[in-house]
Amino acid sequence: MPAPLTFDGRVVLVTGAGGGLGREYALAFGQRGAAVIVNDLGGDIKGGGRSSAAADKVVEEIRAKGGKAVANYDSVEDGEKLIQTALDTFGRIDIVVNNAGILRDRSFARTSDVDWDLIHRVHLRGSFLVSRAAWNHMKNQKFGRIIMTSSAAGIYGNFGQANYSAAKLGLLGLSNTLAIEGQKYNIHCNTIAPTAGSRLTETVMPPDLVQSLRAEYVAPLVLWLCHDACPENGGLFEVGAGWIGKLRWERSLGRIVRQKNESMTPEAVRDAWSEICDFTDASRPSSIQESLQTLVEVLSRVEDERGIRANPTGATAGTNPSSAVGQTLPEMSFSYTHMNCILYALGVGMSTREPDHLKFLYEGHEDFSCLPTFGVIPALSAMTGLGSVPDLNIDFTRLLHGEQYLEMFRALPTSGTLTSRGSVADVLDKGSGMVILLDVHTYSEGELVCYNQFSVFIVGAGGFGGKRTSQKAVVTAAPPDRAPDAVIVDQTSRDQAALYRLSGDWNPLHIDPSFAAMGGFKSPILHGLCSFGFAARHVLKQYAANDVSRFKSIKVRFVKPVYPGQSLQTEMWKEANRIHIQCKVKETGDVVLSGAYIDLHTDASVSGGSPQTGGLQSDLVFAEIGRRIRDAGQELVKKVNAVFGWEISRDGRTVREWTMDLKTGGGSLRSGASKADVIFTVSDEDFMEVVKGKLNPQKAFFSGKLKVRGNIMLSQKLEAVLKDYAKL
């Protein structure tokens, strides 16, 4: 049975806690270990009078049950005094429940200035002042929970409550903004619209209904939303009678009612009214960025003289995005010269001010090299190919780049023509959107150079009933719980995004101020893959002396944007050949790249020449196995039903690990060790001899060249897999 929710060590302020819902919240928090500030002015429901009796009584009830509580009799308009009571008595403030309220119901025509102002002062301004007084304390301790109390009258309107309705919906807007601003400080703000018997509701409800809608049916939601373990932030909930429901906005598909170079008229609005109000294929925007993205699309479609597409944010009716898994994209070629390599190096912050950067900036350098992360550039065009995949129906204005993985199998040539082959590895339904895992293998003259996995999120395209997770995804990894082993800080230039985009990412979000503003940004932002390049070269410098042959792979999750001119701070933790990294904006502390790491080769095991002479020959075999698993994984899973682990050694040391999962889903091959049914240890050279048929696996086992741990009988199935799918 799960452990009960407790609030030991937490300090809670509940306003309007002398009776009704506030009293129930205070008692519940006190019973579960919190120290409670019971605030109540002691006035009547219209805001008149004051008394300490109500708050004192609730404090006595909490203490009588062994809890900790103190009374406060100040108005919520004196927010600082309420918070000071918490600090003086208990030394901190963790949770604020803005519950205090009054009523002055009048029909709109009879509402006086006093009726309007007093309601807003208590409900909206009071919640603002109390929350603001607690805000910096919550920021400094990196924890806070705030509850705003709205109402069904605020959400839907109610006769005779214009003043009350306006204030209550205003609280929702305040709460949504605090949820956004507080997210990075672990401050969560949610809104409830409770229906319960109280002094306020008895004026608008029959007495028997007031008695049935008990406050104790609301308090459990408030306690859960305020608990450390609750991830909810920015939510709106109706609650009452033991029922809880979450609300969200819905927007019709709408209709463009103007044409290029023509005036917009009220007649056009009239004629399109039924379509404007038709909620078929409606979208559900959840942020101002999502709202503005539709307008950006409209501008583009007016310019191209097109209409709004049906349901731009969701899976089109009758389609199944999951059926896109395994679809291959058209093969793409990318030709480049040394100039592209140099331009990319400049784009990710390299400079002639640093002598060791010259090998990446001067084609005449004796060790002229291409940065490994340039490997994402030839693969980028594969994302545009997603638009041609049946059943995906991607709206590229809603595409966000979530994660990136890059693995090198040989050093990139400094010029030439590369060929990339992309395929849809998996499609996931995250509810609020769709995640597409796009695998891209890039070849030079038929030899595998690098492998990219793009993880892209399509906002609003979820809800098609697909799975939520995939074993084919290359996963992120948290850094060790200690101070970083090394830190490098680089200031980006004001023109960093303008320079990086010349490598092929032409999104106007990174150069056009008006376009950036439509996306909710104060100015154009830096490309995520530019920050990716900065972090990678920091590791290359710190731990590999800028030797590109040491670079094996990199995995990152993109978290927040960087503005050109800000400083990127890369924190590094070394764990064997893996360098965990976290990249921040130094000026703000915002994390830019998280769950990130770079794997290095122990020695120069990747070269610019033939993989057979410099790198692990087995890398190419496993790359081919991985490609074939993606093509025919389900058939292999039925045939094999096992997980195999590989430890590839060279010079007596393990230098590479692989996990071949032919047991779950559609099968997968991933770098690194995982739980396996059987594990094989073999040298790179002997592995190739087995694959080529020159060395019998049984002879290799009995001679000690092939070591096996686990269910040895499964090796018979693996032999068939290698013969069928690992030919070079």
Side-chain angles (χ1 to χ4, degrees):
M1 181 177 178
L5 300 177
T6 61
F7 292 85
D8 296 334
R10 294 299 184 198
V11 178
V12 182
L13 165 65
V14 182
T15 67
L21 286 168
R23 172 181 174 273
E24 192 66 36
Y25 302 153
L27 293 175
F29 276 116
Q31 187 176 9
R32 290 175 178 263
V36 185
I37 296 86
V38 179
N39 162 262
D40 202 286
L41 186 64
D44 59 33
I45 66 168
K46 293 186 177 181
R50 61 189 307 156
S51 169
S52 64
D56 289 340
K57 183 178 179 181
V58 176
V59 169
E60 291 173 5
E61 289 184 78
I62 294 173
R63 290 177 176 173
K65 296 179 180 179
K68 295 175 287 185
V70 64
N72 174 278
Y73 318 114
D74 293 305
S75 165
V76 288
E77 290 191 89
D78 296 316
E80 294 285 352
K81 293 182 179 179
L82 275 67
I83 299 304
Q84 196 59 49
T85 298
L87 300 176
D88 291 344
T89 309
F90 301 114
R92 60 186 292 127
I93 181 68
D94 299 293
I95 298 166
V96 170
V97 181
N98 290 296
N99 172 74
I102 60 172
L103 283 178
R104 293 178 74 94
D105 292 352
R106 299 280 192 279
S107 64
F108 181 64
R110 296 179 58 237
T111 301
S112 68
D113 289 354
V114 173
D115 293 331
W116 181 271
D117 292 342
L118 188 56
I119 289 293
H120 280 71
R121 282 168 50 195
V122 174
H123 289 271
L124 186 54
R125 189 166 187 268
S127 297
F128 156 69
L129 291 169
V130 173
S131 300
R132 186 180 66 176
W135 191 258
N136 284 334
H137 300 288
M138 292 178 172
K139 280 177 62 176
N140 292 336
Q141 69 197 19
K142 295 292 190 294
F143 178 85
R145 297 290 185 267
I146 299 174
I147 298 294
M148 299 294 182
T149 304
S150 185
S151 167
I155 298 170
Y156 307 109
N158 192 35
F159 183 88
Q161 293 190 307
N163 51 358
Y164 182 76
S165 299
K168 286 301 189 183
L169 193 58
L171 282 165
L172 175 60
L174 173 61
S175 179
N176 288 344
T177 296
L178 295 191
I180 294 169
E181 294 188 13
Q183 180 72 42
K184 64 182 177 182
Y185 304 109
N186 192 26
I187 302 174
H188 294 180
C189 189
N190 291 285
T191 305
I192 63 169
T195 300
S198 69
R199 293 190 306 167
L200 302 190
T201 56
E202 67 185 9
T203 64
V204 294
M205 290 182 181
D208 55 344
L209 185 57
V210 171
Q211 293 298 320
S212 300
L213 295 172
R214 297 162 62 178
E216 65 190 69
Y217 298 148
V218 175
L221 170 63
V222 172
L223 267 67
W224 166 239
L225 290 174
C226 293
H227 197 270
D228 301 40
C230 181
E232 189 68 37
N233 189 26
L236 169 62
F237 300 87
E238 285 189 276
V239 53
W243 169 88
I244 302 168
K246 185 173 183 179
L247 283 78
R248 63 186 179 191
W249 293 104
E250 186 175 57
R251 181 173 62 185
S252 71
L253 178 62
R255 163 76 184 275
I256 297 175
V257 292
R258 72 181 181 93
Q259 295 180 344
K260 185 178 180 181
N261 300 325
E262 292 186 13
S263 299
M264 180 175 168
T265 67
E267 289 78 15
V269 177
R270 175 199 63 198
D271 296 342
W273 194 245
S274 61
E275 291 181 68
I276 292 170
C277 299
D278 183 0
F279 277 86
T280 303
D281 295 324
S283 63
R284 301 181 181 92
S286 59
S287 70
I288 192 169
Q289 287 83 4
E290 290 182 35
S291 174
L292 288 171
Q293 280 171 351
T294 295
L295 300 185
V296 174
E297 181 190 6
V298 167
L299 293 174
S300 172
R301 292 183 177 277
V302 168
E303 187 67 24
D304 296 341
E305 298 182 328
R306 296 175 291 158
I308 286 284
R309 291 191 305 177
N311 194 10
T313 61
T316 303
T319 66
N320 178 17
S322 298
S323 66
V325 175
Q327 293 283 336
T328 57
L329 307 182
E331 187 171 285
M332 296 153 292
S333 292
F334 177 80
S335 296
Y336 64 106
T337 70
H338 64 276
M339 292 179 60
N340 299 89
C341 300
I342 294 170
L343 190 61
Y344 176 81
L346 292 169
V348 296
M350 289 204 141
S351 168
T352 55
R353 291 192 302 268
E354 301 289 337
D356 59 345
H357 289 188
L358 198 59
K359 64 181 287 188
F360 301 104
L361 299 174
Y362 174 43
E363 72 281 4
H365 192 282
E366 61 180 1
D367 195 22
F368 179 57
S369 303
C370 184
L371 281 169
T373 48
F374 182 75
V376 300
I377 300 300
L380 267 177
S381 57
M383 279 204 283
T384 61
L386 288 172
S388 65
V389 177
D391 289 329
L392 285 185
N393 297 303
I394 293 175
D395 178 0
F396 284 95
T397 66
R398 298 178 181 273
L399 185 149
L400 303 175
H401 195 170
E403 297 181 6
Q404 182 69 30
Y405 177 73
L406 167 67
E407 182 169 0
M408 304 302 300
F409 294 95
R410 54 171 296 186
L412 285 162
T414 55
S415 63
T417 298
L418 302 177
T419 302
S420 294
R421 302 167 189 162
S423 63
V424 179
D426 220 337
V427 178
L428 309 178
D429 186 352
K430 294 295 186 178
S432 61
M434 172 172 64
V435 171
I436 301 172
L437 298 179
L438 174 63
D439 284 352
V440 183
H441 290 81
T442 300
Y443 301 83
S444 175
E445 297 180 350
E447 294 183 354
L448 182 65
V449 175
C450 62
Y451 158 63
N452 280 274
Q453 185 177 86
F454 296 85
S455 177
V456 296
F457 185 80
I458 314 299
V459 176
F464 54 88
K467 61 183 181 180
R468 295 185 61 86
T469 60
S470 173
Q471 293 188 339
K472 296 179 183 179
V474 180
V475 298
T476 55
D481 186 16
R482 66 171 190 266
D485 300 325
V487 178
I488 292 180
V489 179
D490 250 340
Q491 183 173 8
T492 64
S493 76
R494 184 68 182 82
D495 297 316
Q496 201 72 58
L499 185 58
Y500 181 84
R501 69 190 296 268
L502 300 180
S503 287
D505 190 334
W506 304 103
N507 190 334
L509 178 66
H510 307 293
I511 191 70
D512 186 340
S514 60
F515 198 93
M518 289 180 183
F521 301 105
K522 63 183 181 182
S523 62
I525 61 174
L526 197 61
H527 305 69
L529 285 175
C530 182
S531 303
F532 171 92
F534 265 81
R537 67 174 182 78
H538 287 165
V539 172
L540 205 61
K541 176 184 177 70
Q542 181 70 28
Y543 291 106
N546 283 332
D547 181 357
V548 297
S549 69
R550 295 282 311 281
F551 188 97
K552 178 182 184 292
S553 61
I554 176 173
K555 171 69 180 184
V556 307
R557 174 181 293 138
F558 302 108
V559 182
K560 287 197 173 181
V562 178
Y563 291 98
Q566 291 183 321
S567 300
L568 283 169
Q569 176 175 301
T570 304
E571 301 171 344
M572 295 167 269
W573 294 261
K574 189 176 188 304
E575 296 275 303
N577 289 341
R578 172 162 291 184
I579 313 300
H580 293 271
I581 55 178
Q582 178 173 263
C583 200
K584 296 179 178 178
V585 174
K586 183 181 179 183
E587 291 82 358
T588 64
D590 289 346
V591 175
V592 177
L593 305 177
S594 72
Y597 58 84
I598 290 177
D599 288 336
L600 299 174
H601 294 293
T602 303
D603 49 26
S605 60
V606 178
S607 73
S610 167
Q612 279 76 12
T613 60
L616 292 184
Q617 300 177 66
S618 57
D619 284 346
L620 290 177
V621 176
F622 281 105
E624 177 64 13
I625 291 173
R627 186 179 73 82
R628 296 303 178 90
I629 288 176
R630 282 184 285 275
D631 290 343
Q634 291 183 346
E635 179 182 347
L636 285 172
V637 168
K638 292 179 182 178
K639 181 178 180 181
V640 177
N641 190 33
V643 179
F644 302 96
W646 288 93
E647 297 174 347
I648 306 297
S649 65
R650 184 160 61 183
D651 298 329
R653 293 176 300 164
T654 298
V655 294
R656 197 84 82 251
E657 293 177 307
W658 298 93
T659 300
M660 185 188 306
D661 185 350
L662 297 177
K663 194 173 189 177
T664 56
S668 65
L669 176 73
R670 53 188 178 271
S671 176
S674 297
K675 185 177 180 181
D677 298 310
V678 58
I679 299 174
F680 302 88
T681 302
V682 63
S683 71
D684 183 56
E685 181 180 0
D686 290 335
F687 175 86
M688 294 305 299
E689 292 295 296
V690 171
V691 170
K692 293 176 182 178
K694 296 181 179 180
L695 176 61
N696 182 282
Q698 292 182 349
K699 290 183 178 180
F701 175 73
F702 288 114
S703 65
K705 292 182 177 181
L706 175 65
K707 297 178 182 178
V708 184
R709 306 195 305 273
N711 187 350
I712 193 171
M713 299 304 295
L714 291 173
S715 61
Q716 298 177 14
K717 294 185 177 182
L718 180 62
E719 183 179 357
V721 174
L722 290 175
K723 284 183 178 179
D724 289 341
Y725 296 106
K727 295 179 181 178
L728 292 175

